[in-house]
RNA sequence: GCCGGUUUGGCGGAAUGGUAGACGCAAGGGACUUAAAAUCCCUCGGGCGAAUAACCCGUGCCGGUUCGAGUCCGGCAACCGGCACCA
């Protein structure tokens, strides 16, 4: 009998299911809690990808270790099940997207269970369950009541050919991803969430998180906090009129040569002179029809039109021309800027194009060649002359404040979140419009607003949502006795994933998102692993909802995910991203069948650091399989198992202590590849040893079972245990066994490694020197030389400087 | 352009500032076998060499700090990811 992965995996999968091995009693507060979760998958028709098991294995290892360490571990899984592919499938096949989605979920679940993850399936949730989206809708309704949701006419990507609105991700270079038809921007009624109200907290609280630096930076950049000064300019020709600009470089105010309004700025229409009117209107019309993309793809070409009026610079009373220019964004700051050609690259380009003057107000560059954006002493700046940027900002701001013409402000790049989609397969937005045109949130007791069945899931040609064709019995309802019409927009896919970590804690609760006591105990999530592609959107949206729930007292902590980690991609064997078109896709089912789930898990963890992209390697997978066989042989093959003894000869003491220490630390640090390397070292040592102390081998099997749970359980049973290995107490080690009395250290001569000596760990410098001098190699190097200096670091190095 | 990350043998990768290359893959050799597979053991950065003798070179490139740098500091390059007229 040898290692038969199929038989072993089948046996233990059934055992875990039958014994409910991984059930987590969330009400049991007697043990410390550990909440570890994965980003839940979208159950596509394609089935599981080999990338999925990577992150899932990582969380599973940690979950298993924590269980053995005595934690009450919550390790759930669920389904992010609304989404476009199911809707498109439904349109094509003219059947409800739910049946397709449920089938995919069943397939995903079977695949995931074949991989031996220790999920507590009693916590399983799907975002498409009405019992789940009831609470997604509840959160939206609460947000509306707290003035965080509003309706606005927002330009959307509309594709006339397809007759539908598209998400930004579905628009590539101004054309629809499917079909390649032109996409235009037209305003449409949309629900919007006021995430901007949370911009400061979303930024500030990033510092409290144990998250990858890159992700924190991405979120910071996305939020885009920027502090500067708002300055009021009055119009020379209409002294009663004024506008405000935002600048981060108030120190250059004396260099302002013109000002620009965005085409959307309300003053454009009212200020423009009759002579300029035609040209300005044509310019603004053109800008309005440009998509964001084509407006920004113009990049270097800065254009604008003079409005015929002038603005007065409050710092020196100078009148400067006022333009409309589409390089100024209507949606950021005040929608107006002061232009300092000498010290801003964009203003420089614009001034060059229209032959506008420029004045250098800060020395250090050459403005005949380019704008100078560095620091230096100011000039042509009156009382700010000679000051650097920071000091000039201070004195000029103070002056503006004294004049009542300026004050410090903070701006954010972050925009409000367009939350509605003109699609069928999403959560209905729980709003109704009464005949007075007012928007009203559906009462909690009326939730959920269940998606109605439709005859036809296609979007309307006019871009109206599919739900507008819902039966009248659904569309027409009442609100507090008044007749009302239901909202037909649905929520984006991000909605359900913005709070699912809360629902896992208490998934059956019918009266609340979850029991408050449980929430207080279990949140935040201790470890959250998923792809970096969610670094901004999902992770920012979830933080936003969490902070809102904090504000209304639902959760007690400020952040949902204390520790976050991103797994790297599994690349094809050729080192390229896996894709059907490249023909380098590896199917996990094939691997589970040929080499077993344990081999797949072990390989993916051993291939390299968790966060790195790693190429698939068939020979590497074979290596993992061989290692499992090598391990299994110790209990399975009598020539090895006969070496297991109950008496400790001591020969594996150091190796075992190193193993336990290293594996415990590395698992905690998610450094699985090095933990596995140490396990291999230990197994190699066991192979060489005359006898293997049984408790050491059992400790090894426990740690190994976190990686390879099927074969781990099998070995545990063969070692004589009747209970699952999952709750066996985590191995400990005697630190004294780690400190060998003798160590080998390097001997350096003038900083170059020349020799190695073995000596007592705590040997003195004199002793080390004596031993080194007795060594042939060192003796050779010292011949005829004088030792000028000795650097001795006990246990590390002996460096002799000679001359 | 800006912000992050990466760069170490034939390959994946190890190295609290202390003998670079752990562990694995591939390759080569040996044992076992009638033979093969499997398994077990050994070798395996480059150069010079008969050598598992000695020496020299070596962690993308150029400099610096240090007794000592893959690791710290300054500059540069290439690649990957994100953002991109945000005033």
């Amino acid at each position: 009998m040898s290692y038969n992965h199929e038989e072993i995996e089948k046996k233990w999968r059934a055992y875990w299911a039958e014994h409910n091995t991984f059930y987590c009693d969330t009400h049991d507060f007697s043990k410390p809690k550990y909440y570890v979760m994965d980003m839940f998958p979208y159950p596509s028709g394609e089935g599981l990808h080999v990338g999925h098991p990577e992150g899932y294995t990582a969380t599973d290892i940690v979950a298993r270790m924590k269980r053995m360490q005595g934690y009450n571990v919550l390790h759930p899984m669920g389904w992010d099940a609304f989404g476009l592919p199911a809707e498109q499938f439904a349109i094509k096949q003219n059947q409800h997207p739910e049946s397709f989605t449920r089938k995919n979920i069943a397939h995903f679940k079977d695949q995931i269970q074949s991989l031996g993850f220790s999920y507590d399936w009693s916590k399983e949730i799907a975002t498409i369950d009405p019992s789940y989206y009831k609470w997604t809708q509840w959160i939206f309704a609460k947000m509306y009541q707290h003035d965080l949701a509003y309706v606005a006419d927002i330009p959307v990507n509309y594709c006339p050919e397809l007759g539908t609105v598209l998400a930004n991700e579905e628009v590539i270079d101004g054309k629809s991803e499917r079909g390649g038809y032109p996409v235009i921007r037209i305003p449409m009624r949309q629900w919007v969430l006021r995430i901007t109200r949370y911009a400061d907290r979303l930024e500030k609280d990033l510092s409290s998180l144990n998250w990858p630096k890159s992700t924190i930076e991405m979120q910071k950049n996305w939020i885009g906090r920027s502090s500067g000064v708002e300055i009021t300019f009055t119009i020379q020709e209409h002294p009663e009129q004024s506008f405000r600009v935002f600048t981060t470089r108030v120190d250059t105010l004396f260099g302002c040569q013109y000002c620009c309004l965005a085409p959307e700025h309300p003053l454009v229409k009212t200020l423009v002179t009759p002579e300029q009117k035609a040209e300005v209107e044509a310019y603004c019309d053109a800008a309005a029809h440009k998509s964001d993309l084509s407006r920004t793809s113009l990049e270097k070409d800065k254009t604008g039109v003079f409005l015929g009026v002038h603005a007065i610079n409050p710092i020196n009373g100078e009148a400067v021309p006022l333009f409309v220019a589409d390089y100024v964004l209507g949606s950021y700051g005040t929608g107006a800027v002061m232009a300092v050609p000498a010290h801003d690259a964009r203003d420089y380009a614009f001034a060059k194009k229209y032959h506008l003057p420029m004045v250098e107000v800060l020395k250090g560059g050459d403005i005949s060649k380019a704008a100078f954006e560095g620091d230096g002493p100011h000039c042509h700046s009156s009382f700010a002359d000679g000051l650097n940027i920071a000091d000039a900002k201070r004195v000029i701001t103070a002056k503006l404040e004294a004049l009542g013409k300026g004050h410090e402000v903070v701006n954010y790049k972050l925009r409000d979140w367009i939350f509605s989609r003109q699609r069928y397969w999403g959560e209905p937005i729980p709003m109704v419009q009464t005949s007075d045109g007012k928007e009203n949130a559906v009462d909690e007791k009326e939730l959920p607003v269940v998606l109605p069945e439709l005859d036809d899931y296609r979007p309307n040609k006019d871009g109206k949502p599919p739900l507008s064709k819902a039966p009248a019995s659904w569309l027409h309802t009442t609100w507090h006795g008044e007749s009302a019409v239901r909202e037909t927009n649905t929520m984006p896919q991000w909605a359900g994933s913005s709070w699912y970590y809360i629902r896992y804690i208490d998934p059956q609760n019918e009266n609340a998102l979850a029991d408050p006591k449980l929430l207080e105990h279990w949140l935040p999530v201790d470890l959250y692993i998923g792809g970096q592609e969610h670094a901004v959107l999902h992770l920012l949206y979830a933080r936003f909802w969490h902070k809102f729930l904090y504000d209304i007292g639902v959760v007690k902590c400020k952040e949902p995910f204390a520790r976050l980690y991103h797994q790297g991609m599994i690349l094809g064997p050729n080192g390229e991203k896996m894709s059907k078109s490249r023909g380098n896709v590896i199917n996990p089912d094939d691997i589970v069948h040929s080499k077993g789930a344990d081999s797949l898990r072990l390989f993916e963890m051993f291939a390299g650091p968790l966060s790195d992209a790693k190429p698939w390697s068939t020979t590497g997978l074979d290596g993992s399989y061989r290692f499992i066989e090598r391990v299994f042989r110790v209990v399975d093959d009598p020539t090895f198992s006969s070496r297991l003894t109950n008496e400790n000869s001591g020969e594996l003491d150091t190796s075992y202590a190193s193993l336990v220490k290293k594996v415990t630390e590395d698992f905690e640090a998610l450094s699985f590849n090095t933990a596995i390397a140490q396990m291999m070292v230990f197994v190699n040592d066991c192979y060489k040893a005359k006898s293997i102390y049984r408790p050491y081998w059992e400790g090894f099997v426990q740690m190994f079972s976190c990686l390879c749970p099927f074969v781990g359980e099998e070995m545990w049973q063969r070692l004589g245990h009747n209970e699952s290995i999952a709750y066996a107490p985590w191995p400990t080690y005697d630190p004294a066994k780690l400190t060998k009395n003798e160590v080998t250290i390097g001997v350096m001569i003038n900083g170059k490694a020349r020799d190695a000596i073995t000596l007592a760990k705590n040997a003195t410098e004199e002793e080390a020197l004596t031993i080194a001098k007795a060594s042939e190699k060192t003796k050779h190097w010292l011949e005829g030389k004088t030792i000028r200096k000795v650097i001795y670091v006990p246990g590390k190095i002996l460096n002799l400087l000679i001359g």
Side-chain angles (χ1 to χ4, degrees):
Chain A
M1 220 14 234
S2 64
Y3 175 53
N4 179 333
H5 65 264
E6 262 181 316
E7 202 172 278
I8 290 172
E9 294 181 4
K10 192 176 151 204
K11 169 180 168 185
W12 290 101
R13 180 176 170 178
Y15 176 96
W16 294 325
E18 190 191 325
H19 291 79
N20 222 348
T21 305
F22 303 112
Y23 174 73
C24 169
D25 179 1
T26 47
H27 290 85
D28 176 8
F29 291 4
S30 68
K31 293 189 271 186
K33 69 99 180 179
Y34 195 84
Y35 187 2
V36 49
M37 60 180 262
D38 301 280
M39 290 185 187
F40 64 171
Y42 172 72
S44 72
E46 313 279 318
L48 219 60
H49 181 270
V50 284
H52 285 110
E54 191 191 5
Y56 301 168
T57 303
T59 52
D60 196 55
I61 293 167
V62 175
R64 287 174 181 275
M65 174 173 74
K66 292 289 174 186
R67 254 181 232 115
M68 292 188 197
Q69 288 176 339
Y71 289 84
N72 190 15
V73 173
L74 178 57
H75 187 41
M77 180 46 83
W79 316 104
D80 190 12
F82 280 122
L84 200 55
E87 179 154 340
Q88 279 163 344
F89 180 86
I91 290 167
K92 256 186 228 149
Q93 307 291 320
N94 201 32
Q95 52 171 276
H96 199 287
E98 178 159 358
S99 57
F100 174 71
T101 306
R102 294 285 174 196
K103 207 178 83 204
N104 292 344
I105 287 176
H107 183 220
F108 259 70
K109 187 168 175 176
D110 179 60
Q111 287 185 301
I112 286 176
Q113 289 185 333
S114 78
L115 289 163
F117 300 124
S118 61
Y119 295 120
D120 172 4
W121 289 101
S122 75
K123 308 297 187 289
E124 179 181 1
I125 55 174
T127 53
I128 55 171
D129 291 336
S131 63
Y132 180 87
Y133 70 67
K134 169 183 177 176
W135 298 103
T136 312
Q137 292 173 334
W138 181 88
I139 295 170
F140 181 92
K142 283 283 171 207
M143 286 188 147
Y144 178 72
Q145 285 159 11
H146 285 80
D147 190 32
L148 287 169
Y150 61 96
V151 170
D153 282 320
I154 304 263
V156 295
N157 304 305
Y158 181 70
C159 178
E161 202 70 31
L162 295 173
T164 186
V165 169
L166 299 173
N168 285 329
E169 303 80 47
E170 297 168 276
V171 183
I172 316 282
D173 289 333
K175 298 206 169 127
S176 64
E177 188 189 14
R178 280 158 206 262
Y181 304 115
V183 174
I184 58 165
R185 305 278 288 171
I186 57 167
M188 231 164 135
R189 176 180 168 278
Q190 304 287 339
W191 279 96
V192 184
L193 296 185
R194 261 187 242 284
I195 190 172
T196 50
R197 197 170 278 178
Y198 284 76
D200 55 341
R201 286 159 65 190
L202 288 168
E203 210 243 15
K204 218 176 290 161
D205 291 347
L206 284 170
S207 62
S208 70
L209 300 173
N210 179 3
W211 282 25
K213 194 180 162 186
S214 59
T215 302
I216 289 187
E217 284 304 310
M218 272 193 231
Q219 291 216 353
K220 267 192 192 166
N221 293 341
W222 190 265
I223 296 165
R225 185 193 155 93
S226 170
S227 56
V229 175
E230 252 179 42
I231 308 169
T232 305
F233 283 68
T234 49
I235 306 299
Q236 186 179 40
E237 291 82 357
H238 307 281
E240 76 290 355
Q241 300 258 41
S242 66
F243 65 94
R244 289 168 300 126
V245 304
F246 173 72
T247 180
T248 56
R249 288 297 303 277
V250 69
D251 60 290
T252 62
L253 183 53
F254 283 99
C256 172
Q257 298 300 307
Y258 64 97
C259 287
C260 290
L261 302 181
E264 301 85 358
H265 198 286
L267 283 184
V268 170
K269 283 193 190 107
T270 60
L271 290 179
V272 63
T273 59
E275 303 82 60
Q276 295 297 102
K277 194 169 178 171
E279 199 185 339
V280 165
E281 274 180 1
Y283 183 83
C284 290
D285 272 3
H289 286 102
K290 283 183 199 171
S291 68
D292 280 357
L293 208 97
S294 62
R295 198 161 145 178
T296 55
S297 70
L298 291 175
E299 281 239 350
K300 276 157 213 139
D301 204 22
K302 305 277 180 287
T303 61
V305 179
F306 181 44
L307 290 175
V309 295
H310 297 79
I312 293 174
N313 185 343
I315 204 77
N316 56 12
E318 262 177 40
V320 296
L322 183 61
F323 289 81
V324 57
D326 71 0
Y327 79 89
V328 179
L329 305 176
S331 52
Y332 182 75
T334 59
V337 300
M338 68 174 206
V340 184
H343 303 289
D344 180 281
R346 293 155 301 184
D347 301 343
Y348 189 89
F350 188 90
K352 281 281 180 203
K353 183 176 169 82
Y354 294 105
H355 308 291
L356 298 166
M358 54 181 78
V359 173
E360 184 179 48
V361 291
L362 196 150
K363 290 182 202 159
D366 178 359
I367 65 160
S368 70
K369 295 205 177 87
F372 176 61
E373 296 177 330
D375 204 349
H378 282 67
C379 57
H380 301 120
S381 292
S382 174
F383 57 88
D385 280 353
L387 301 180
N388 64 15
I389 291 178
D391 290 336
K393 276 183 181 173
R394 214 182 49 243
V395 298
I396 294 176
T397 303
K399 179 74 177 177
L400 286 170
E401 278 172 352
L403 292 168
K405 293 287 188 184
H407 59 276
E408 288 180 306
V409 295
V410 172
N411 269 319
Y412 297 91
K413 284 188 209 172
L414 186 69
R415 304 295 151 80
D416 276 345
W417 175 10
I418 300 172
F419 194 70
S420 46
R421 298 290 181 272
Q422 292 70 48
R423 298 232 181 91
Y424 173 75
W425 193 225
E427 301 88 345
I429 292 180
M431 299 294 297
V432 295
Q433 211 172 52
T434 36
S435 46
D436 55 6
K438 257 189 76 186
E439 302 288 353
N440 307 283
V442 174
D443 286 345
E444 180 173 340
K445 61 178 190 301
E446 306 283 335
L447 297 178
V449 176
V450 178
L451 262 177
E453 301 232 356
L454 299 186
D455 296 332
D456 180 0
Y457 301 102
R458 275 177 298 186
N460 292 323
K461 286 286 175 209
D462 56 7
K464 280 218 188 91
L467 282 181
S468 59
K469 294 179 296 188
S473 59
W474 186 85
L475 280 173
H476 299 285
T477 181
T478 56
W479 189 79
H480 293 201
E482 283 183 66
S483 67
V485 182
R486 286 197 191 279
E487 173 64 51
T488 56
N489 278 303
T490 54
M491 299 189 197
Q493 202 178 351
W494 308 112
S497 60
S498 290
W499 72 283
Y500 72 115
Y501 59 95
I502 288 174
R503 190 63 177 175
Y504 279 143
I505 293 169
D506 195 7
Q508 317 296 340
N509 197 316
E510 289 178 7
N511 306 309
L513 279 74
D515 181 329
K517 274 202 214 76
L518 293 181
L519 286 183
E520 187 164 1
H521 179 72
W522 284 96
L523 291 177
V525 174
D526 295 285
L527 176 63
Y528 189 31
I529 296 185
Q532 178 150 37
E533 67 272 20
H534 296 113
V536 178
L537 298 178
H538 158 60
L539 287 164
L540 190 67
Y541 295 153
R543 292 181 63 225
F544 164 44
W545 280 35
H546 187 92
K547 287 182 184 304
F548 168 68
L549 294 172
Y550 173 84
D551 287 350
I552 62 169
V554 172
V555 296
K556 301 289 179 208
C557 56
K558 293 186 176 177
E559 287 285 338
F561 313 118
R563 184 183 180 196
L564 171 74
Y565 207 85
H566 303 301
Q567 81 277 15
M569 225 184 298
I570 303 285
L571 305 171
N574 55 358
E576 290 173 22
K577 196 172 167 173
M578 275 191 200
S579 71
K580 269 190 193 162
S581 58
R582 289 191 179 90
N584 60 354
V585 175
I586 305 289
N587 180 344
D589 289 347
D590 297 342
I591 306 303
V592 169
H593 183 253
S594 63
K595 298 287 168 178
D598 283 332
S599 294
L600 175 62
R601 295 169 55 120
L602 184 65
F603 165 71
E604 293 203 1
M605 292 303 101
F606 186 56
L610 182 61
S611 58
D612 286 10
K614 297 166 281 284
W616 181 265
S617 162
T618 304
T619 54
L621 178 73
D622 291 344
S624 292
Y625 188 83
R626 275 202 292 275
F627 182 59
I628 293 173
E629 286 186 305
R630 207 168 145 79
V631 168
F632 190 64
R633 213 169 283 136
V634 173
V635 296
D636 185 59
D637 180 340
T639 59
F640 290 93
S641 57
S642 62
R643 289 195 214 157
L644 286 169
T645 64
N646 292 320
E647 259 172 61
N648 185 9
S649 67
E651 61 183 323
L652 289 169
D653 281 0
T654 308
S655 187
Y656 182 73
S658 309
L659 172 79
V660 179
K661 180 177 195 291
K662 180 84 174 146
V663 171
T664 308
E665 289 171 359
D666 285 358
F667 276 7
E668 187 70 46
L670 311 178
S671 180
F672 303 114
N673 57 330
T674 53
I676 294 164
Q678 193 68 36
M679 290 185 184
M680 289 171 169
V681 169
F682 179 76
V683 172
N684 290 344
D685 288 344
C686 287
Y687 264 61
K688 285 174 198 150
K690 287 185 203 73
S691 68
I692 303 167
Y693 185 43
R694 195 182 188 88
Y696 286 176
W697 186 254
E698 293 196 346
F700 166 81
V701 168
Q702 277 188 262
M703 293 187 279
F704 185 69
S705 76
C706 297
L707 285 154
C708 300
F710 293 106
V711 72
E713 289 276 20
E714 180 66 23
M715 289 189 290
W716 192 245
Q717 191 180 58
R718 290 184 185 212
L719 286 162
H721 299 277
N722 296 318
E723 301 283 312
S724 165
I725 197 170
Y727 296 92
W730 189 250
T732 55
Y733 66 98
D734 178 1
K737 297 283 202 298
L738 274 181
T739 46
K740 279 193 254 176
N741 291 328
E742 298 230 306
V743 287
T744 300
I745 66 167
V747 178
M748 296 175 111
I749 308 291
N750 285 342
K752 293 215 172 222
R754 297 298 183 190
D755 198 2
I757 54 172
T758 299
L759 71 179
K761 192 179 167 71
N762 56 357
T764 63
E765 183 173 311
E766 286 86 325
E767 287 164 351
L769 211 47
T770 310
I771 292 165
K773 281 175 175 169
S775 167
E776 285 303 323
K777 276 193 196 175
T778 305
K779 211 187 277 177
H780 166 78
W781 281 96
L782 292 179
E783 215 163 288
K785 306 286 170 113
T786 330
I787 298 176
R788 300 194 185 282
K789 191 172 176 187
V790 177
I791 291 124
Y792 173 61
V793 183
K796 301 278 188 192
I797 201 81
L798 177 67
N799 192 358
L800 306 176
L801 304 187
I802 62 170

